[in-house]
């Protein structure tokens, strides 16, 4: 463990329930704020009318600036603008709908 840029050779004493998050009184408040923020984000985010279904074959980019395109199949719809795609090598990646097109 690094503490203030120094390597420690011993353990730092700590209370176990603080590490596990069992006694966090603000946990519910933070979860509610995260839920509201996610709801607003999903409501206002537009995906250029690109709607994909599970099983669609798509062509996608790894990054926004990348010119290399890969092929894959949509495995799961994570939220309205995010999809899990299985690449040809079997690896599953998560990509935005803005980086995908239907494969012809």
């Amino acid at each position: 463990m690094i503490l203030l840029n120094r390597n420690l050779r011993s353990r730092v004493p700590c209370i176990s329930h603080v590490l596990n998050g069992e006694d966090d009184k603000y946990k519910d408040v933070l979860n509610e704020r995260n839920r509201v923020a996610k709801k607003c984000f999903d409501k206002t985010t537009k995906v250029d009318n690109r709607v994909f279904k599970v099983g669609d074959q798509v062509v996608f980019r790894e990054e926004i600036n990348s010119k290399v395109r890969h092929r894959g199949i949509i495995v799961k719809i994570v939220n309205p603008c995010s999809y899990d795609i299985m690449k040809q090598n079997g690896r599953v990646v998560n990509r935005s709908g803005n980086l995908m097109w239907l494969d012809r």
Side-chain angles (χ1 to χ4, degrees):
M1 179 187 276
I2 298 177
L3 184 65
L4 301 174
N5 285 335
R6 297 179 186 184
N7 291 328
L8 294 178
R9 295 186 180 147
S10 62
R11 296 178 183 252
V12 176
C14 187
I15 302 170
S16 65
H17 73 273
V18 173
L19 288 176
N20 295 335
E22 297 168 0
D23 197 25
D24 192 4
K25 59 184 175 183
Y26 300 107
K27 190 176 186 179
D28 295 333
V29 175
L30 290 176
N31 286 340
E32 180 64 22
R33 284 185 185 171
N34 288 341
R35 189 186 64 73
V36 170
K38 183 182 182 316
K39 182 179 175 183
C40 291
F41 175 79
D42 289 344
K43 187 169 65 173
T44 58
T45 302
K46 303 296 180 208
V47 188
D48 299 335
N49 297 327
R50 294 182 189 169
V51 179
F52 302 102
K53 298 178 283 189
V54 174
D56 284 349
Q57 293 186 357
V58 293
V59 177
F60 65 97
R61 288 193 249 169
E62 287 288 335
E63 298 174 3
I64 292 175
N65 297 330
S66 174
K67 294 183 180 180
V68 178
R69 293 187 168 98
H70 302 280
R71 286 195 165 102
I73 299 174
I74 295 181
V75 179
K76 179 182 173 187
I77 300 173
V78 179
N79 58 37
C81 59
S82 181
Y83 300 89
D84 281 346
I85 306 168
M86 182 181 290
K87 295 171 72 173
Q88 290 179 340
N89 61 5
R91 197 172 125 219
V92 176
V93 293
N94 188 307
R95 291 291 171 263
S96 170
N98 292 329
L99 300 174
M100 296 189 305
W101 301 271
L102 283 174
D103 193 9
R104 295 180 187 178

